[in-house]
Amino acid sequence: MSIWKRIKADANRYLERMAKSNKELFGDGRPDCCKLNRR
């Protein structure tokens, strides 16, 4: 495997872990700030 493919795969795994962590912490709904200034 070339080094660039390895770096890309590592970056993708990191982003997937971050997405999972954020989903657990904040849920997958729309943030409260997005509901401001709407009727």
Side-chain angles (χ1 to χ4, degrees):
M1 182 182 270
S2 74
I3 191 154
W4 300 114
K5 287 182 182 179
R6 171 100 183 182
I7 291 171
K8 184 178 178 181
D10 288 344
N12 283 336
R13 276 197 304 271
Y14 172 75
L15 291 175
E16 288 296 322
R17 284 195 314 258
M18 290 296 293
K20 183 180 177 185
S21 174
N22 285 341
K23 194 173 196 179
E24 289 174 0
L25 288 174
F26 303 114
D28 56 351
R30 192 179 269 189
D32 290 339
C33 63
C34 294
K35 294 177 185 173
L36 294 175
N37 299 326
R38 292 195 178 210
R39 296 182 183 202

Coordinates of all heavy atoms in Angstrom, one line a residue:
M1 N 0.9 -1.2 0.0 CA 0.0 0.0 0.0 C 0.9 1.2 0.0 O 1.9 1.3 0.8 CB -0.9 0.0 1.2 CG -1.8 1.1 1.3 SD -2.8 1.1 2.8 CE -4.2 0.2 2.3
S2 N 0.6 2.2 -0.9 CA 1.4 3.4 -0.9 C 1.2 4.2 0.3 O 0.2 4.1 1.0 CB 1.1 4.2 -2.2 OG -0.2 4.8 -2.0
I3 N 2.1 5.1 0.6 CA 2.0 5.9 1.8 C 0.8 6.8 1.8 O 0.2 7.1 2.8 CB 3.4 6.6 2.0 CG1 3.4 7.3 3.4 CG2 3.6 7.7 1.0 CD1 4.7 7.5 4.0
W4 N 0.5 7.4 0.6 CA -0.6 8.3 0.5 C -1.9 7.6 0.8 O -2.8 8.2 1.4 CB -0.6 9.0 -0.9 CG 0.6 9.7 -1.1 CD1 1.6 9.4 -2.1 CD2 1.1 10.8 -0.4 NE1 2.6 10.3 -2.0 CE2 2.4 11.2 -1.0 CE3 0.7 11.6 0.7 CZ2 3.1 12.3 -0.5 CZ3 1.4 12.6 1.1 CH2 2.6 13.0 0.6
K5 N -2.1 6.4 0.3 CA -3.3 5.6 0.6 C -3.4 5.4 2.1 O -4.5 5.4 2.7 CB -3.4 4.3 -0.2 CG -3.6 4.6 -1.7 CD -3.7 3.2 -2.4 CE -3.9 3.5 -3.9 NZ -4.0 2.2 -4.6
R6 N -2.3 5.1 2.7 CA -2.3 4.8 4.1 C -2.7 6.1 4.9 O -3.4 6.0 5.9 CB -0.9 4.3 4.5 CG -0.6 4.2 6.0 CD -0.8 2.8 6.4 NE -0.6 2.9 7.9 CZ -0.6 1.8 8.6 NH1 -0.8 0.7 8.1 NH2 -0.5 1.9 9.9
I7 N -2.1 7.2 4.5 CA -2.4 8.5 5.2 C -3.9 8.8 5.0 O -4.6 9.2 6.0 CB -1.6 9.6 4.6 CG1 -0.1 9.4 5.1 CG2 -2.1 11.0 5.1 CD1 0.9 10.3 4.5
K8 N -4.5 8.6 3.8 CA -5.9 8.8 3.6 C -6.7 7.9 4.4 O -7.7 8.3 5.0 CB -6.2 8.6 2.1 CG -7.6 9.0 1.7 CD -7.8 8.8 0.2 CE -9.2 9.1 -0.2 NZ -9.5 9.0 -1.6
A9 N -6.4 6.6 4.5 CA -7.2 5.7 5.3 C -7.1 6.1 6.8 O -8.2 6.0 7.4 CB -6.6 4.3 5.1
D10 N -6.0 6.5 7.3 CA -5.9 6.9 8.7 C -6.7 8.1 8.9 O -7.4 8.2 10.0 CB -4.4 7.2 9.0 CG -3.6 5.9 9.1 OD1 -4.2 4.8 9.2 OD2 -2.3 6.0 9.1
A11 N -6.7 9.1 8.0 CA -7.5 10.3 8.2 C -9.0 10.0 8.1 O -9.7 10.5 9.0 CB -7.2 11.3 7.1
N12 N -9.4 9.1 7.3 CA -10.8 8.7 7.2 C -11.2 8.0 8.5 O -12.3 8.2 9.0 CB -11.1 7.8 6.0 CG -11.1 8.6 4.7 OD1 -11.4 9.8 4.7 ND2 -10.9 7.9 3.6
R13 N -10.4 7.1 9.0 CA -10.7 6.5 10.3 C -10.8 7.5 11.4 O -11.7 7.4 12.3 CB -9.7 5.4 10.6 CG -9.9 4.1 10.0 CD -9.1 3.0 10.6 NE -7.7 3.2 10.7 CZ -6.8 2.9 9.7 NH1 -7.2 2.3 8.7 NH2 -5.5 3.2 9.9
Y14 N -9.9 8.5 11.5 CA -10.0 9.5 12.5 C -11.3 10.3 12.4 O -11.9 10.5 13.4 CB -8.8 10.4 12.3 CG -8.8 11.6 13.2 CD1 -8.6 11.6 14.5 CD2 -9.2 12.9 12.7 CE1 -8.6 12.7 15.4 CE2 -9.2 14.0 13.5 CZ -8.9 13.9 14.8 OH -9.0 15.0 15.6
L15 N -11.7 10.7 11.2 CA -12.9 11.4 11.0 C -14.1 10.6 11.4 O -15.1 11.2 12.0 CB -13.0 11.9 9.5 CG -12.0 13.0 9.1 CD1 -12.1 13.3 7.6 CD2 -12.2 14.2 10.0
E16 N -14.1 9.3 11.1 CA -15.2 8.5 11.5 C -15.4 8.4 13.0 O -16.5 8.4 13.6 CB -15.1 7.1 10.9 CG -15.3 7.0 9.4 CD -16.7 7.4 9.0 OE1 -17.7 7.0 9.8 OE2 -16.9 8.0 8.0
R17 N -14.2 8.3 13.7 CA -14.2 8.2 15.2 C -14.8 9.6 15.7 O -15.5 9.6 16.7 CB -12.9 7.9 15.7 CG -12.4 6.5 15.6 CD -11.2 6.2 16.4 NE -10.2 7.1 16.3 CZ -9.1 7.0 15.6 NH1 -8.9 5.9 14.9 NH2 -8.2 8.0 15.6
M18 N -14.3 10.7 15.1 CA -14.8 12.0 15.6 C -16.3 12.1 15.4 O -17.0 12.7 16.2 CB -14.0 13.1 14.9 CG -12.6 13.2 15.3 SD -12.4 13.7 17.0 CE -13.1 15.3 17.0
A19 N -16.8 11.7 14.2 CA -18.2 11.8 13.9 C -19.0 10.9 14.9 O -20.1 11.4 15.4 CB -18.5 11.3 12.5
K20 N -18.5 9.8 15.3 CA -19.2 8.9 16.2 C -19.2 9.5 17.6 O -20.3 9.6 18.3 CB -18.5 7.5 16.3 CG -19.2 6.6 17.2 CD -18.5 5.2 17.2 CE -19.1 4.3 18.2 NZ -18.4 3.0 18.3
S21 N -18.1 10.1 18.0 CA -18.0 10.8 19.3 C -19.0 12.0 19.4 O -19.7 12.2 20.4 CB -16.6 11.2 19.5 OG -16.5 12.0 20.7
N22 N -19.0 12.8 18.3 CA -19.8 14.0 18.3 C -21.3 13.6 18.3 O -22.1 14.2 19.0 CB -19.6 14.8 17.1 CG -18.3 15.6 17.2 OD1 -17.8 15.8 18.3 ND2 -17.7 16.0 16.1
K23 N -21.6 12.5 17.6 CA -23.0 12.0 17.6 C -23.5 11.6 19.0 O -24.6 11.8 19.5 CB -23.2 10.9 16.6 CG -24.6 10.5 16.3 CD -24.6 9.5 15.1 CE -26.0 9.5 14.5 NZ -26.0 8.5 13.4
E24 N -22.6 10.9 19.7 CA -22.9 10.4 21.1 C -23.0 11.6 22.0 O -23.9 11.6 22.9 CB -21.8 9.5 21.6 CG -21.8 8.1 20.9 CD -20.6 7.3 21.4 OE1 -19.8 7.7 22.2 OE2 -20.5 6.2 20.9
L25 N -22.2 12.6 21.9 CA -22.2 13.8 22.8 C -23.3 14.7 22.5 O -24.0 15.2 23.4 CB -20.9 14.6 22.7 CG -19.6 13.9 23.3 CD1 -18.4 14.8 23.0 CD2 -19.8 13.8 24.8
F26 N -23.6 15.0 21.2 CA -24.5 16.1 20.9 C -25.8 15.6 20.2 O -26.7 16.4 19.9 CB -23.8 17.1 19.9 CG -22.6 17.7 20.5 CD1 -21.4 17.4 19.9 CD2 -22.7 18.5 21.6 CE1 -20.2 18.0 20.4 CE2 -21.5 19.0 22.1 CZ -20.3 18.8 21.6
G27 N -25.9 14.3 19.9 CA -27.0 13.8 19.2 C -26.9 14.1 17.7 O -26.0 14.7 17.3
D28 N -27.9 13.7 17.0 CA -27.9 13.9 15.5 C -28.9 14.9 15.1 O -29.2 14.9 13.9 CB -27.9 12.6 14.8 CG -29.2 11.8 15.1 OD1 -29.9 12.1 16.0 OD2 -29.4 10.8 14.4
G29 N -29.5 15.6 16.0 CA -30.5 16.6 15.6 C -29.9 17.9 15.3 O -28.7 18.1 15.3
R30 N -30.7 18.9 14.9 CA -30.2 20.2 14.6 C -29.9 21.0 15.9 O -30.6 20.9 16.8 CB -31.4 20.9 13.9 CG -31.0 22.2 13.2 CD -32.2 22.8 12.5 NE -32.2 22.3 11.1 CZ -33.0 22.8 10.2 NH1 -33.9 23.7 10.5 NH2 -32.9 22.3 9.0
P31 N -28.8 21.7 15.9 CA -28.4 22.5 17.1 C -29.4 23.5 17.4 O -30.1 24.1 16.5 CB -27.1 23.1 16.7 CG -26.5 22.3 15.6 CD -27.7 21.8 14.9
D32 N -29.5 23.9 18.7 CA -30.5 24.9 19.1 C -30.2 26.3 18.4 O -31.2 27.0 18.2 CB -30.4 25.2 20.6 CG -30.9 24.0 21.4 OD1 -31.7 23.2 20.8 OD2 -30.6 23.8 22.6
C33 N -29.0 26.6 18.2 CA -28.7 27.9 17.5 C -29.3 28.0 16.2 O -29.6 29.1 15.7 CB -27.2 28.2 17.5 SG -26.3 27.0 16.4
C34 N -29.5 26.9 15.5 CA -30.1 26.9 14.2 C -31.6 27.2 14.2 O -32.2 27.6 13.2 CB -29.9 25.6 13.4 SG -28.2 25.3 13.1
K35 N -32.2 27.1 15.4 CA -33.7 27.3 15.6 C -33.9 28.8 16.0 O -35.1 29.2 15.9 CB -34.2 26.4 16.6 CG -34.2 24.9 16.2 CD -34.7 24.1 17.3 CE -34.5 22.6 16.9 NZ -34.9 21.7 18.0
L36 N -32.9 29.5 16.3 CA -33.0 30.9 16.6 C -33.5 31.7 15.4 O -33.2 31.4 14.3 CB -31.7 31.5 17.2 CG -31.3 30.9 18.5 CD1 -29.9 31.5 18.9 CD2 -32.2 31.2 19.6
N37 N -34.1 32.8 15.6 CA -34.5 33.7 14.6 C -35.5 33.1 13.6 O -35.6 33.5 12.4 CB -33.3 34.3 13.8 CG -32.4 35.1 14.8 OD1 -32.9 35.7 15.7 ND2 -31.1 35.0 14.5
R38 N -36.2 32.1 14.0 CA -37.2 31.4 13.2 C -38.5 31.5 13.9 O -38.6 31.4 15.1 CB -36.9 30.0 12.9 CG -35.7 29.9 12.0 CD -35.6 28.5 11.5 NE -34.4 28.4 10.6 CZ -34.4 27.6 9.6 NH1 -35.3 26.8 9.3 NH2 -33.3 27.6 8.8
R39 N -39.6 31.6 13.1 CA -40.9 31.7 13.8 C -41.5 30.4 13.9 O -41.2 29.4 13.4 CB -41.8 32.6 12.9 CG -41.3 34.0 12.8 CD -42.2 34.8 12.1 NE -41.6 36.1 12.0 CZ -42.3 37.2 11.8 NH1 -43.6 37.1 11.5 NH2 -41.7 38.4 11.7

